[in-house]
């Protein structure tokens, strides 16, 4: 039997451009805030799981080499994890595994990026394609997701407005989140429709900003939790699935890897009807339309019903299954920290500490992430009650 | 800490690489260059055909050893009209916009090839259109995917 594990402390930095902090400075700030959040000292942490997205974004390499001390990893085990955009989720899951294994009692998960250190992050993204058989024609992440969007919209009779509705919902939610980068008052569908068409069918409004941010979560074993906090977020399940890329008959609008991850996560958490049994969901919506596709992958609705679920209002802050009350990745995207933000936001919702965007009475919350060629999916489900 | 002037260091990095195409990749690219033909490879276990050819069939974890010659027509699986300034990582200069990125499934093949489509009016594009490869003249072909100039819509 694996050890039961809870999140006991969370530290976030605000998503914005940070010329006042170096990369180690950014990591240290998130770590310091996580320690203060739960009253632990750096010597109380047994091991560190460390993440950072493709280094090309910052023109650096192997940053755990020179950021280790900033995250308290001096004469301690440090494990680097790397899965592209979902790295923060993979790091959180790795930290959970380290504690669940019984080999460590208190483990730090930390991940971040400073995307503003280049004006050419999308060139970096081109290098994540096969150099001989694929990168010649793409234009970074937006073009790949635009292809996904074209397929999704045409397959189910939806249109650009369905993605823009997500943008309007999440940008309005972000007004309540001090850690979000895009906090634009009076954000309307009309305004979103008037933003430039950058990668048809995606407009500027459909896309995330580039942020500098780090996120930290501290995971503790059951027998240590009580002494640290009386308000933990218990890990009910943690699942990572790689969907593969350009596999035979891939349907970009149907994320079978996410569906598999969701089914495993629900089974392990004892959830039969996710729409009813989850109280809030945070998905990695780097582009608006993806939120609709993730609704379907996560079984909040059937295949092809994502646009209609959005239209119904169910995923708004006051709906029966709120999605991205924080504003999501669409309002803050450092890449390295983003998938961990989804998990940390879900954990904060369970703790009742999400602030102005808290959903009342949350007992179970899900945090998602994706990375790579829209292929690496991570899911964590947190609960108020010990499993 | 007292307020201080915030500095940053600017640097441009330029690193040369040589990427191996491998045996299947080299066969694919030489046939493309010399004969203007696409080849894929078929998995003996599930019968699926890969293009470009690859070293393993993922679901079966079996090498798709049978080489298959494919035609130059296929279906547009999906697309995007790219309309934002983008530095081409191959050339280091800005790629002309708008251009259309297409995912194309050649007839007789079960994966897609990403390439350019010579139509940038979104009203004229939709998944499912029939497309045909337009090759560069033989003397311009160098053994890369760009030996195909683009795909054109044929219906
Ligand atoms: Zn096979």
């Amino acid at each position: 039997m694996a050890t039961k594990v809870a999140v006991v402390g969370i530290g976030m930095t605000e998503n914005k451009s940070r010329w006042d902090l170096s990369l180690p400075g950014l990591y240290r700030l998130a770590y310091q805030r996580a320690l203060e959040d739960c009253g632990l000292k750096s010597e109380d942490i047994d091991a560190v799981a460390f993440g950072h997205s493709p280094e090309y974004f910052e023109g650096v390499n192997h940053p755990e080499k020179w950021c280790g001390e900033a995250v308290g990893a001096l004469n301690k085990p440090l494990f680097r994890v790397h899965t592209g955009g979902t790295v923060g989720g993979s790091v959180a899951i790795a930290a959970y595994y380290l504690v669940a294994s019984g080999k460590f009692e208190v483990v730090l998960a930390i991940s971040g990026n400073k995307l503003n250190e280049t004006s050419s992050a999308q060139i970096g993204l081109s290098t994540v394609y096969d150099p001989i058989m694929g990168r010649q024609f793409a234009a970074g992440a937006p073009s790949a997701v635009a292809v996904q969007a074209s397929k999704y919209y045409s397959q189910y009779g939806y249109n650009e407005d369905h993605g823009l509705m997500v943008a309007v919902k999440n940008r309005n939610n972000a007004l309540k989140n001090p850690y979000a980068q895009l906090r634009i008052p009076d954000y309307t569908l009309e305004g979103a429709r008037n933003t430039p068409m950058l990668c048809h069918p995606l407009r500027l409004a459909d896309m995330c900003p580039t942020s500098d941010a780090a996120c930290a979560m501290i995971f503790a074993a059951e027998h240590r939790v009580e002494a640290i906090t009386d308000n933990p977020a218990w890990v009910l399940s943690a699942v990572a699935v790689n969907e593969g890329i350009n596999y035979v008959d891939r349907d970009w609008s149907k994320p079978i890897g996410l569906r598999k991850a969701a089914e495993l996560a629900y089974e392990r958490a004892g959830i039969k009807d996710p729409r009813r049994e989850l109280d809030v969901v945070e998905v990695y919506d780097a582009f608006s339309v993806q939120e609709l596709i993730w609704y379907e992958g996560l079984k909040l609705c059937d295949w092809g019903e994502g646009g209609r679920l959005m239209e119904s209002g169910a995923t708004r802050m006051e709906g029966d299954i709120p999605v991205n009350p924080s504003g999501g990745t669409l309002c803050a995207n450092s890449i390295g920290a983003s998938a961990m933000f989804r998990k940390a936001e879900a954990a904060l919702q369970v703790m009742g500490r999400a602030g102005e965007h808290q959903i009342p009475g949350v007992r179970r919350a899900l945090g998602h992430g994706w990375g790579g060629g829209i292929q690496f999916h991570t899911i964590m489900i947190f609960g108020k009650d010990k499993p | 800490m007292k307020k201080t002037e915030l500095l940053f260091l600017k640097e441009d990095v330029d690193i040369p690489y040589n990427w191996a195409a491998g045996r299947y990749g080299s066969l694919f690219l030489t046939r493309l260059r010399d004969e203007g033909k696409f080849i894929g490879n078929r998995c003996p276990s599930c019968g699926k055909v890969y293009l470009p050819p690859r070293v393993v069939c993922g679901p079966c974890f079996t090498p798709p050893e049978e080489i298959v010659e494919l035609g130059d027509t296929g279906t547009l699986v999906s697309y995007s009209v790219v309309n934002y300034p983008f530095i081409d990582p191959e050339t280091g200069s800005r790629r002309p916009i708008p251009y259309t990125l297409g995912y194309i499934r050649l007839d007789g093949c079960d994966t897609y090839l990403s390439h350019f489509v010579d139509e940038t009016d979104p009203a004229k594009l939709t998944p499912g259109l029939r497309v045909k490869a337009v090759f560069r003249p033989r003397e311009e072909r160098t053994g890369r995917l760009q030996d195909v100039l683009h795909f054109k819509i044929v219906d």
Side-chain angles (χ1 to χ4, degrees):
Chain A
M1 246 337 253
T3 306
K4 288 174 185 166
V5 180
V7 177
V8 294
I10 290 169
M12 299 172 169
T13 72
E14 293 75 11
N15 283 266
K16 55 183 186 179
S17 159
R18 291 301 295 246
W19 293 110
D20 58 328
L21 293 177
S22 63
L23 189 63
L26 185 75
Y27 278 105
R28 188 209 67 91
L29 180 60
Y31 178 41
Q32 185 68 38
R33 287 178 174 178
L35 289 174
E36 285 165 7
D37 190 48
C38 57
L40 290 177
K41 292 194 172 61
S42 195
E43 62 256 35
D44 298 324
I45 306 293
D46 300 330
V48 176
F50 182 102
H52 184 263
S53 76
E55 287 93 344
Y56 200 110
F57 292 146
E58 281 129 297
V60 301
N61 193 10
H62 195 15
E64 64 277 20
K65 171 174 167 283
W66 36 280
C67 294
E69 284 160 76
V71 299
L74 189 59
N75 293 319
K76 277 180 200 174
L78 182 151
F79 304 96
R80 168 77 192 273
V81 177
H82 197 339
T83 49
T86 200
V87 62
S90 301
V91 166
I93 290 175
Y96 160 73
Y97 284 155
L98 291 173
V99 180
S101 73
K103 302 290 184 193
F104 301 94
E105 296 186 347
V106 183
V107 173
L108 169 71
I110 190 159
S111 195
N113 257 123
K114 296 197 78 208
L115 290 194
N116 287 295
E117 303 210 336
T118 177
S119 58
S120 305
Q122 294 303 328
I123 305 182
L125 275 176
S126 290
T127 67
V128 308
Y129 291 79
D130 181 306
I132 296 169
M133 303 294 186
R135 78 153 63 150
Q136 297 88 337
F137 313 106
S143 65
V145 177
V147 169
Q148 185 187 27
S150 297
K151 181 72 167 49
Y152 180 75
Y153 288 155
S154 83
Q155 180 155 322
Y156 298 118
Y158 293 131
N159 59 51
E160 283 171 50
D161 269 2
H162 288 89
L164 295 174
M165 278 184 241
V166 175
V168 172
K169 170 178 75 75
N170 293 355
R171 300 263 153 76
N172 280 290
N173 290 353
L175 291 171
K176 298 178 189 295
N177 178 7
Y179 294 95
Q181 177 163 339
L182 288 189
R183 302 171 74 221
I184 308 161
D186 307 316
Y187 201 88
T188 63
L189 187 58
E190 191 56 32
R193 281 185 189 132
N194 287 329
T195 60
M197 182 66 85
L198 297 186
C199 230
H200 184 87
L202 301 179
R203 294 183 180 276
L204 181 63
D206 291 299
M207 300 188 186
C208 57
T210 50
S211 314
D212 299 345
C215 188
M217 298 173 82
I218 298 173
F219 291 84
E222 182 181 10
H223 65 281
R224 296 286 303 277
V225 169
E226 204 176 311
I228 300 171
T229 177
D230 57 4
N231 186 19
W234 292 96
V235 180
L236 304 187
S237 57
V239 178
V241 169
N242 170 27
E243 181 167 324
I245 187 158
N246 199 7
Y247 55 82
V248 288
D249 304 323
R250 182 173 194 186
D251 179 348
W252 288 83
S253 61
K254 195 171 182 181
I256 56 173
L258 175 59
R259 178 57 73 88
K260 181 176 181 181
E263 286 176 344
L264 270 170
Y266 297 147
E267 185 189 318
R268 289 176 190 167
I271 290 173
K272 294 196 168 55
D273 182 350
R275 170 94 181 256
R276 283 172 191 281
E277 294 176 64
L278 291 171
D279 299 306
V280 60
V281 172
E282 282 274 338
V283 299
Y284 195 106
D285 55 332
F287 300 86
S288 63
V289 59
Q290 293 190 307
E291 184 171 306
L292 309 175
I293 301 172
W294 306 155
Y295 293 163
E296 298 171 19
L298 290 169
K299 287 181 117 168
L300 303 182
C301 62
D302 290 336
W303 294 122
E305 291 298 315
R308 273 176 283 279
L309 184 65
M310 179 66 230
E311 285 172 353
S312 77
T315 58
R316 296 160 73 99
M317 198 93 85
E318 66 282 6
D320 70 80
I321 182 74
V323 178
N324 288 336
S326 69
T329 312
L330 205 49
C331 301
N333 194 3
S334 62
I335 302 187
S338 295
M340 195 181 295
F341 268 105
R342 306 282 71 76
K343 276 73 174 172
E345 284 285 349
L348 284 173
Q349 289 282 351
V350 159
M351 295 166 166
R353 297 201 289 125
E356 261 196 87
H357 60 284
Q358 176 69 44
I359 303 298
V362 173
R363 302 207 73 81
R364 279 191 273 210
L366 180 150
H368 158 257
W370 73 263
I374 324 179
Q375 71 192 111
F376 300 115
H377 287 282
T378 57
I379 291 176
M380 292 186 94
I381 301 177
F382 302 98
K384 201 159 193 70
D385 303 316
K386 197 196 289 189
Chain B
M1 190 170 131
K2 278 207 323 217
K3 272 217 155 146
T4 179
E5 180 192 0
L6 296 170
L7 298 182
F8 60 88
L9 188 76
K10 179 170 165 39
E11 193 171 318
D12 294 323
V13 183
D14 187 2
I15 311 172
Y17 292 97
N18 294 292
W19 291 301
R23 286 171 298 166
Y24 285 126
S26 299
L27 181 64
F28 171 78
L29 293 171
T30 51
R31 296 281 294 268
L32 200 66
R33 180 191 64 196
D34 300 342
E35 301 167 33
K37 287 213 157 74
F38 292 103
I39 58 136
N41 56 353
R42 189 191 317 270
C43 172
S45 175
C46 66
K48 297 287 186 185
V49 173
Y50 288 89
L51 180 127
R54 61 180 73 174
V55 295
V56 71
C57 170
C60 306
F61 204 71
T62 302
E65 284 172 336
E66 184 194 344
I67 300 298
V68 184
E69 197 170 291
L70 296 157
D72 58 1
T73 55
T75 303
L76 183 66
V77 175
S78 194
Y79 65 92
S80 171
V81 182
V82 179
N83 200 30
Y84 75 101
F86 186 79
I87 307 292
D88 188 329
E90 293 246 310
T91 61
S93 52
R94 194 173 280 195
R95 193 182 278 161
I97 53 169
Y99 77 91
T100 297
L101 166 68
Y103 287 0
I104 291 134
R105 188 188 299 259
L106 285 189
D107 297 336
C109 150
D110 298 290
T111 59
Y112 65 79
L113 181 71
S114 54
H115 216 295
F116 298 128
V117 178
D118 79 333
E119 174 58 68
T120 56
D121 178 358
K124 293 183 178 156
L125 287 160
T126 185
L129 288 176
R130 297 289 298 158
V131 292
K132 183 178 169 62
V134 176
F135 283 84
R136 290 181 192 276
R138 175 64 189 89
E139 63 276 12
E140 288 179 21
R141 301 204 292 256
T142 59
R144 355 185 270 154
L145 278 175
Q146 294 96 315
D147 288 355
V148 175
L149 186 60
H150 55 240
F151 281 76
K152 65 174 184 182
I153 295 168
V154 290
D155 61 3

